[in-house]
Amino acid sequence: MEPNNPQLHGVVIISLPPSDDPSKGKTITAFTLSDGDSSFTPPPSTPSAAFSPSSFSQSPSTPRPSLFSAKKAIYTLLAAVFIAVSMYGCLYSELPVQLLSGSELGEEMRKNDTKSFLLHLYPKERGRILREIGDVKLAQAKVRDGIEERKTRSDSTGLVNSSTVFPIQGNVYPDGQYYTSIFVGNPPRPYYLDVDTGSDLTWIQCDAPCTNCAKGPHPLYKPAKGKIVPPRDSLCQELQGNQNYCATCRQCDYEIEYADRSSSVGVLARDEMHLITSDGDKEKLSFVFGCAYDQRGQLLASPAKTDGILGLSGARISLPSQLANQGVISNIIGHCITSEPSGGGYLFLGDDYVPRWGVTWVSTLNGLSSLYHTSVQKMRFGNQELSTGGQGNKLIQVIFDSGSSYTYFPHDAYTNIVSSLKSIGSLVQDDSDKTLPLCWKTDFPISSINDVKKYFKPVTLHFANRWLFVPTTYIIPPEGYLIISEKGNVCLGIFDGMDVQHGSTIILGDISLRGKLVIYDNEQNRIGWVQSNCVKPQKTNFPFLF
């Protein structure tokens, strides 16, 4: 008599209908695996089934008493492969089938018509002269009498119905800038704007007429008379502060000063922005931006040949906040800059491209400003803990700023790293190379970072632990802070924060943001990141298996 103790293993597959066609109904497919005879007959497979159990049908056989039978090993292996494939689908599938539980399911059903806006980043031609200390655009808007702007994050809104993705162009060296293209006006005209999470206001060089404008790639924006924003507009009052309200003025003036001491002066305008969603739909949206007629400093040099700046901070006047307040997108943005020297990547507005899994999240600091602030507990260069000049267990502020070409460390941490690097015998400082403040030559030719990577160590930022014991870290590999100059030297892309009046703050610039999808979630006040090659954005609609 055969033993009556089969070890059963089962799989249940539930497939929900596509959100755009609920008439297809849902399917449930189940099968069991056992070592012995089984009276279970798999149900007929349907065209929508992702998996057909019929391939596992087999003739009855006498079970072996062994705990680890060959048949069980095969079933276990097949089950493992199936689960692995399912998890891959969860992470990367673009199928419009979603299965979540509880409140998440209700939220996803509420957003079942969402789209995404996607912008790409492209490499630019060589020949750009770098700014003295890198391109740093931590912006502070001012009214003409010097009163600072009140910066507040926008509240999340209810209904959202679209997202978009934009191509990004540029590179860290030699361009020192990443930009994307937007279309404004009627008829729509293209403008190249610097992608900047450290700036509140989007502005375009403007013929109002123009007092000081750089020679950009496109003709100056020329506003119609009815496009100028009046002072009573709520966004003007947000930008200027209630203290500066002028009932008799005809326009809303502004001035923005940047950390690299450049500035832009202009008036607010309102016009149409033309976007194409990830589903191919065309959207025509109203948005407020700066009509900039007077640029000073490095902005006037316009070394990257852009037409202005795309303000992506958490301020109410930033582009994502305006679109969120109109119910167009969720107030979430993300960018992915490739680590390839040729540059490029993409930027998205909305939540359709936020991965459901694998993202490391940290909370942002509320109340400081509209910049994307968070804090770390300590910094390490390899195994060496870096001094930050703080007292005791004081946290170190971190700003994620895509408008900065390079990364800035607190003065003491920067000094520690430089001292460590100067002690490496194979590297000889080359003072004649003015590409960046510190460049080294070697006794062998350097064609890429890989040729000298062994001499450098990763920088690790340690955030608060997850789940009590699991550390949260942001790792900057050597290719995340080094460049190869035109002279064939290796140069340090980390600068002293004292150079931009941030001597106790970490500013993560483009050089250290490459190779990662970085997400700024203004809905839940958090920042996230995950490794990526930044080649192709993936929508997060997926089939899920439990």
Side-chain angles (χ1 to χ4, degrees):
M1 182 176 182
E2 295 180 353
N4 190 24
N5 58 345
Q7 300 294 320
L8 297 179
H9 299 271
V11 177
V12 177
I13 305 171
I14 304 176
S15 300
L16 288 184
S19 59
D20 58 350
D21 191 2
S23 63
K24 291 185 178 180
K26 67 179 179 179
T27 61
I28 300 178
T29 305
F31 68 93
T32 60
L33 308 175
S34 89
D35 282 1
D37 297 334
S38 175
S39 59
F40 174 80
T41 302
S45 61
T46 66
S48 62
F51 179 88
S52 176
S54 60
S55 60
F56 285 87
S57 60
Q58 51 190 304
S59 59
S61 61
T62 302
R64 298 181 181 180
S66 171
L67 180 62
F68 299 102
S69 66
K71 189 182 300 181
K72 182 180 293 184
I74 293 174
Y75 288 155
T76 301
L77 177 60
L78 290 173
V81 171
F82 178 76
I83 292 174
V85 172
S86 299
M87 291 303 296
Y88 180 86
C90 292
L91 289 170
Y92 301 107
S93 175
E94 296 186 16
L95 297 176
V97 183
Q98 301 177 348
L99 179 57
L100 299 173
S101 61
S103 61
E104 289 183 343
L105 177 59
E107 182 68 13
E108 292 302 317
M109 292 179 67
R110 183 180 65 83
K111 297 181 180 180
N112 61 0
D113 291 328
T114 59
K115 304 166 187 173
S116 288
F117 297 104
L118 183 64
L119 300 172
H120 290 275
L121 304 170
Y122 303 99
K124 282 175 58 67
E125 61 192 62
R126 296 176 63 86
R128 175 184 186 273
I129 301 174
L130 290 174
R131 301 184 179 184
E132 283 184 29
I133 54 173
D135 186 11
V136 188
K137 286 188 290 299
L138 294 175
Q140 183 178 62
K142 293 188 175 184
V143 295
R144 301 311 296 271
D145 62 0
I147 301 176
E148 292 187 8
E149 171 200 3
R150 297 182 304 114
K151 297 181 178 180
T152 58
R153 291 184 180 273
S154 62
D155 296 328
S156 60
T157 59
L159 181 65
V160 291
N161 58 21
S162 60
S163 301
T164 194
V165 181
F166 300 80
I168 296 180
Q169 307 181 24
N171 49 61
V172 169
Y173 179 79
D175 296 328
Q177 194 173 37
Y178 290 90
Y179 70 94
T180 191
S181 177
I182 67 169
F183 290 81
V184 178
N186 190 10
R189 302 182 185 276
Y191 298 97
Y192 291 162
L193 302 184
D194 187 356
V195 175
D196 190 2
T197 58
S199 289
D200 298 342
L201 180 66
T202 295
W203 58 262
I204 302 172
Q205 290 198 120
C206 178
D207 184 8
C210 187
T211 304
N212 288 294
C213 288
K215 182 174 175 54
H218 299 103
L220 299 177
Y221 171 81
K222 191 172 183 63
K225 192 171 184 180
K227 301 295 184 181
I228 301 300
V229 173
R232 63 179 179 275
D233 189 278
S234 62
L235 287 177
C236 177
Q237 295 178 35
E238 170 71 19
L239 185 67
Q240 292 186 339
N242 291 330
Q243 304 95 321
N244 199 63
Y245 175 69
C246 174
T248 59
C249 296
R250 296 183 178 181
Q251 62 191 34
C252 181
D253 296 298
Y254 70 85
E255 178 180 357
I256 301 175
E257 294 182 354
Y258 295 93
D260 62 2
R261 301 177 182 86
S262 57
S263 64
S264 178
V265 174
V267 297
L268 289 189
R270 178 180 277 107
D271 209 331
E272 295 173 347
M273 171 184 286
H274 301 258
L275 299 173
I276 299 178
T277 70
S278 59
D279 295 332
D281 298 331
K282 294 182 179 180
E283 298 277 354
K284 186 170 64 175
L285 309 167
S286 173
F287 87 114
V288 171
F289 59 97
C291 171
Y293 58 80
D294 187 2
Q295 277 60 256
R296 300 295 174 93
Q298 296 293 343
L299 292 174
L300 187 59
S302 189
K305 297 183 180 179
T306 55
D307 298 298
I309 287 178
L310 186 65
L312 299 172
S313 76
R316 186 165 166 257
I317 200 168
S318 72
L319 176 61
S321 293
Q322 288 189 53
L323 297 183
N325 287 335
Q326 294 178 39
V328 178
I329 63 169
S330 296
N331 200 345
I332 299 172
I333 66 171
H335 58 69
C336 202
I337 303 172
T338 178
S339 57
E340 295 297 321
S342 57
Y346 61 85
L347 162 75
F348 66 80
L349 306 178
D351 62 354
D352 284 348
Y353 293 91
V354 178
R356 304 296 185 187
W357 305 96
V359 180
T360 298
W361 293 102
V362 294
S363 298
T364 54
L365 302 178
N366 295 324
L368 290 178
S369 73
S370 58
L371 299 176
Y372 294 107
H373 277 90
T374 184
S375 60
V376 299
Q377 295 178 334
K378 57 185 177 181
M379 306 170 62
R380 289 187 180 276
F381 182 57
N383 295 323
Q384 173 191 359
E385 184 166 348
L386 299 175
S387 171
T388 59
Q391 300 295 324
N393 296 322
K394 184 179 179 181
L395 298 178
I396 312 159
Q397 289 189 26
V398 184
I399 300 173
F400 285 69
D401 180 26
S402 67
S404 296
S405 304
Y406 298 100
T407 289
Y408 294 78
F409 279 178
H411 176 74
D412 289 356
Y414 172 78
T415 302
N416 289 167
I417 289 181
V418 171
S419 297
S420 297
L421 295 177
K422 285 185 175 180
S423 65
I424 300 176
S426 300
L427 302 176
V428 178
Q429 186 170 338
D430 185 355
D431 293 329
S432 67
D433 193 339
K434 303 300 183 182
T435 301
L436 295 180
L438 282 177
C439 294
W440 296 273
K441 59 185 178 181
T442 63
D443 55 3
F444 55 87
I446 304 174
S447 58
S448 72
I449 299 298
N450 289 332
D451 296 334
V452 292
K453 190 174 179 178
K454 62 183 179 180
Y455 300 114
F456 298 88
K457 305 170 185 176
V459 175
T460 305
L461 307 182
H462 290 262
F463 297 83
N465 289 348
R466 291 177 293 175
W467 306 315
L468 190 60
F469 299 111
V470 181
T472 301
T473 59
Y474 187 97
I475 299 175
I476 307 173
E479 55 268 30
Y481 62 83
L482 298 173
I483 66 164
I484 304 300
S485 72
E486 292 185 349
K487 295 186 66 173
N489 293 330
V490 57
C491 300
L492 181 64
I494 298 175
F495 298 162
D496 188 346
M498 295 288 289
D499 294 338
V500 289
Q501 294 81 49
H502 282 270
S504 60
T505 303
I506 300 169
I507 302 174
L508 292 179
D510 292 331
I511 192 171
S512 301
L513 298 174
R514 297 179 299 173
K516 296 180 176 67
L517 171 59
V518 182
I519 306 150
Y520 307 85
D521 186 346
N522 290 303
E523 303 271 334
Q524 300 188 47
N525 295 320
R526 59 182 184 170
I527 301 171
W529 58 86
V530 62
Q531 290 294 126
S532 176
N533 60 13
C534 302
V535 173
K536 181 182 179 181
Q538 298 288 342
K539 292 188 70 173
T540 56
N541 297 327
F542 60 87
F544 194 77
L545 170 68
F546 260 123

